Amino acid sequence: MSDMSTGFSGNLGFPIPAGWNYDQFAEISGYRGKWDLDKVAYSGRWPAIGSSESGSIQYQRPAGAPKAEVDKLQKISGFIPLVKQLEAQFKNYIAEHNANAGNNMWLTRPSEGVMSYIGRAYFSEVQWVASAGTDGWPGFDEYLKRNASSLRSQVAPFIARDALTSDGKGSVIDLAHLAAAGYSYLTGQGIAPRHWTNWGGDLVTGASNIHTIMQANPSADRQEAANGVIGAHHLNTEYLSTLNLPLDGSACSLSDLNSNGDAIRLAEMLTADSSLSLSAAMTSYYRTVNGSNRYSAFYTDIPRSTSVTTLAASIYSLIHDWANYALVYLKARDVTNADLRAASRAFADFLLA
């Protein structure tokens, strides 16, 4: 209550509200030679604030995908029946191999094989093969060419690299990215920590975007730039619009983070029930998917905290500790500690927004 503030009439003629917490009754001018200090009564109804975290109030999550764009995309509901057909074909492919395999039998679950195949646009690259421990099953692709070419053609547009699909709930996913990001969570294979093939790798490449922006705009605010890059569908925040942007888009985009969270949740479902097919898991998951469920999946790796400072520190340690330093170097050689810290803070703010 501003009882001493004549600019607000000093509340003359108005009773104090029943739920008041602070009531100003005096003012000390020039307190310690620095500022005017209010003296207030305190009711104790609400806890006093002892500290604040700089920058947290200013954060605003980048805008989502515009409805007009999402409505033009193919929906996940159109892809899931194709996944079911891929699973049937993968069973046939394994059976054909095992019929003449002798001691070289393949025991791969269809869900694993099909997830690898969906991510083949990534798994054709050496660093992804090493990181996740799969090559996208090129032999299965040859099998589809011979035995199910129509299915292969129908699937191809969905799993092309950077191809976007509507999640049916107003947002976007990248299915090839999802599969590549989820494989390590499903199988535990690969030489890299599993988060590196998921949110960790994307965050570091996002930090590389931040570095590029700072090189083109040396006087820019690094954290403001990071806030506009991490989780962005388009690089169109008010702050970024004032800068020279030598980028076409974010390397840690909204579709990347959506796909990463979905990948973890689907892997959890498939791990919990070994009889569950990938198509059945996707049907169940995308029936009720929402931002809260998909983004909370990241706490599988990151210690949960409601403090943005604590959360950012945990994220930073996971992408920059000594065990991952070589991976940071390979993923984004030009990135600096300042870029990584800004990206970590932006991701923490994104999760808590």
Side-chain angles (χ1 to χ4, degrees):
M1 297 300 299
S2 54
D3 288 351
M4 293 290 293
S5 180
T6 56
F8 294 95
S9 82
N11 294 318
L12 292 174
F14 301 96
I16 294 178
W20 72 275
N21 202 48
Y22 296 103
D23 180 27
Q24 178 191 12
F25 62 84
E27 181 181 284
I28 302 173
S29 299
Y31 180 72
R32 293 187 177 179
K34 294 182 179 180
W35 55 71
D36 295 339
L37 180 68
D38 291 341
K39 296 182 72 174
V40 299
Y42 173 49
S43 71
R45 288 184 176 88
W46 296 95
I49 297 173
S51 63
S52 63
E53 295 184 340
S54 175
S56 61
I57 296 175
Q58 288 76 29
Y59 179 81
Q60 184 174 356
R61 185 182 283 178
K67 184 177 185 300
E69 289 186 29
V70 177
D71 288 346
K72 293 178 182 178
L73 300 173
Q74 297 194 73
K75 291 183 171 60
I76 187 65
S77 58
F79 180 65
I80 294 174
L82 301 179
V83 175
K84 188 172 183 178
Q85 293 181 56
L86 284 175
E87 290 170 321
Q89 290 294 336
F90 192 82
K91 289 179 182 178
N92 295 338
Y93 169 63
I94 294 294
E96 181 181 278
H97 168 83
N98 288 346
N100 303 297
N103 293 327
N104 188 29
M105 300 283 283
W106 289 346
L107 303 176
T108 304
R109 290 171 58 189
S111 56
E112 293 178 15
V114 171
M115 182 175 280
S116 176
Y117 181 75
I118 293 171
R120 63 193 300 269
Y122 290 86
F123 293 141
S124 61
E125 300 175 4
V126 173
Q127 66 267 32
W128 274 95
V129 174
S131 296
T134 184
D135 60 2
W137 287 88
F140 180 50
D141 188 55
E142 292 299 321
Y143 176 88
L144 291 175
K145 287 181 182 178
R146 297 193 308 270
N147 299 282
S149 59
S150 176
L151 172 61
R152 181 177 180 273
S153 296
Q154 292 177 73
V155 168
F158 282 99
I159 66 173
R161 188 158 186 161
D162 298 324
L164 297 183
T165 300
S166 166
D167 66 0
K169 302 294 183 181
S171 199
V172 291
I173 51 176
D174 175 342
L175 289 164
H177 189 106
L178 184 156
Y183 191 81
S184 292
Y185 287 80
L186 179 59
T187 67
Q189 297 177 8
I191 62 173
R194 64 184 188 176
H195 69 271
W196 188 257
T197 61
N198 194 281
W199 61 268
D202 286 333
L203 195 57
V204 171
T205 51
S208 185
N209 285 167
I210 297 164
H211 185 82
T212 299
I213 291 173
M214 294 306 298
Q215 284 187 313
N217 305 269
S219 62
D221 185 300
R222 193 184 309 271
Q223 192 58 60
E224 286 274 21
N227 292 348
V229 167
I230 304 304
H233 182 66
H234 294 303
L235 298 178
N236 60 358
T237 63
E238 183 177 349
Y239 182 75
L240 291 182
S241 69
T242 68
L243 304 180
N244 171 26
L245 286 182
L247 300 169
D248 294 327
S250 172
C252 185
S253 66
L254 174 67
S255 65
D256 292 336
L257 295 183
N258 286 349
S259 302
N260 291 338
D262 293 356
I264 296 172
R265 290 302 187 209
L266 289 169
E268 288 174 344
M269 294 171 70
L270 293 167
T271 301
D273 183 355
S274 60
S275 67
L276 187 67
S277 67
L278 178 58
S279 57
M282 294 176 79
T283 298
S284 175
Y285 179 76
Y286 284 107
R287 189 177 293 131
T288 59
V289 66
N290 57 61
S292 176
N293 183 36
R294 81 178 7 139
Y295 300 141
S296 65
F298 297 121
Y299 296 123
T300 300
D301 303 312
I302 306 165
R304 187 187 291 267
S305 176
T306 57
S307 163
V308 68
T309 302
T310 301
L311 190 61
S314 296
I315 292 168
Y316 176 79
S317 69
L318 285 167
I319 61 173
H320 190 263
D321 64 27
W322 69 267
N324 293 337
Y325 186 78
L327 296 173
V328 171
Y329 181 78
L330 291 171
K331 194 79 177 178
R333 296 185 180 188
D334 57 351
V335 73
T336 67
N337 285 342
D339 300 323
L340 290 174
R341 289 190 185 280
S344 298
R345 173 63 184 240
F347 187 36
D349 270 319
F350 182 95
L351 294 180
L352 294 176

